[in-house]
Amino acid sequence: MLSDKLKEQTKSNHQQLEKVLVGKLRSIRSKEEYAALLKLFYSYFGGLETEINKVIDPTLLPDSTERRKTQSLADDLEFLGSTTPEKATGDSLPTLHSHLQALGALYVIEGSTLGGKIISKMMQQHLGLNGGGLSFFTSYGDRTEQMWDTFKETLNYQATNPEQEAVVIAAANQTFLKFGDWFEKSAT
Ligand code: HEM
């Protein structure tokens, strides 16, 4: 199944990104530093979602709008008294010219809700954030697993041959890699 292939074939890029992110998370000591991290997610995911919206077929992914993350990131930044940065554009983003490529990017965005569960707990403990600022990383809360399963089901029937699967997998890998580049760029 495509979802299994995606997991297998993007594994090393996930691990690499996770390593970078864990380093950043460990160094966060203040709400300002947490806001700086959220800005990186806002700018990258915000740019991705702008491109995804142009090419996704919403009839094939009916809960597509509910799955968008830009607004929850903006809400968290507002709660922290921070502004929203410019969204990433052009070469900073993966190539998303088709519904299948958009699905690859969405796989990465949706998968971030799984790691988000761990991250939101970490930030809650480190920063004592109880009343707000965690909506992006908390995401679907108790429904996270269910939302992930329904996303994978949808994904699996939309790419029906190896060529189509390869398009989704390549877009997912590019989405991971470009996010890593985005983090690196912010550190310089
Ligand atoms: C500290 C950072 C992160 C940690 C600790 C982490 C941890 C995890 C864990 C534990 C899972 C597996 C959950 C499960 O199978 O139930 C997972 C899956 C996943 N994560 Fe992360 N993650 C992190 C960051 C990210 C980020 C930033 C992204 C995307 C931008 C991401 C994308 C994914 C994807 C796509 C999957 C699904 C893999 C599959 O197909 O099963 N993760 N992550």
Side-chain angles (χ1 to χ4, degrees):
M1 268 194 301
L2 174 60
S3 56
D4 296 328
K5 289 183 191 166
L6 271 163
K7 183 174 185 160
E8 179 63 30
Q9 293 179 37
T10 63
K11 195 175 174 182
S12 80
N13 283 327
H14 175 271
Q15 282 172 344
Q16 221 167 309
L17 183 64
E18 187 181 322
K19 219 166 106 185
V20 174
L21 199 56
V22 166
K24 276 200 178 273
L25 288 165
R26 288 220 174 103
S27 71
I28 290 178
R29 294 280 172 275
S30 68
K31 288 176 184 163
E32 289 72 26
E33 285 167 343
Y34 173 54
L37 178 76
L38 285 176
K39 281 185 177 189
L40 284 176
F41 274 88
Y42 176 91
S43 50
Y44 189 70
F45 279 17
L48 277 181
E49 289 186 345
T50 302
E51 295 307 307
I52 288 168
N53 290 341
K54 290 180 192 165
V55 292
I56 198 90
D57 181 346
T59 61
L60 296 176
L61 198 65
D63 60 0
S64 189
T65 316
E66 191 200 342
R67 292 180 181 275
R68 294 289 174 269
K69 312 284 183 261
T70 312
Q71 191 55 50
S72 61
L73 282 159
D75 292 345
D76 289 347
L77 283 166
E78 192 185 348
F79 176 84
L80 295 164
S82 191
T83 53
T84 50
E86 294 279 309
K87 292 175 187 171
T89 55
D91 282 352
S92 300
L93 297 171
T95 310
L96 301 179
H97 290 157
S98 68
H99 177 73
L100 288 174
Q101 286 176 326
L103 284 181
L106 276 174
Y107 166 80
V108 178
I109 295 178
E110 285 301 311
S112 73
T113 64
L114 305 174
K117 272 175 116 171
I118 302 166
I119 297 169
S120 62
K121 279 199 191 103
M122 261 174 98
M123 290 301 108
Q124 212 168 344
Q125 285 164 359
H126 289 183
L127 303 175
L129 285 166
N130 287 318
L134 289 167
S135 65
F136 166 66
F137 282 122
T138 310
S139 198
Y140 311 119
D142 292 345
R143 290 189 304 135
T144 301
E145 217 159 287
Q146 182 199 331
M147 289 295 281
W148 179 241
D149 287 344
T150 55
F151 176 73
K152 283 195 294 186
E153 278 165 28
T154 310
L155 197 71
N156 283 334
Y157 78 76
Q158 290 183 30
T160 50
N161 60 50
E163 288 75 26
Q164 289 183 341
E165 289 182 346
V167 172
V168 181
I169 294 166
N173 271 319
Q174 236 199 339
T175 306
F176 270 122
L177 285 170
K178 296 261 178 181
F179 198 21
D181 293 346
W182 192 247
F183 271 108
E184 247 173 62
K185 229 164 90 180
S186 78
T188 54

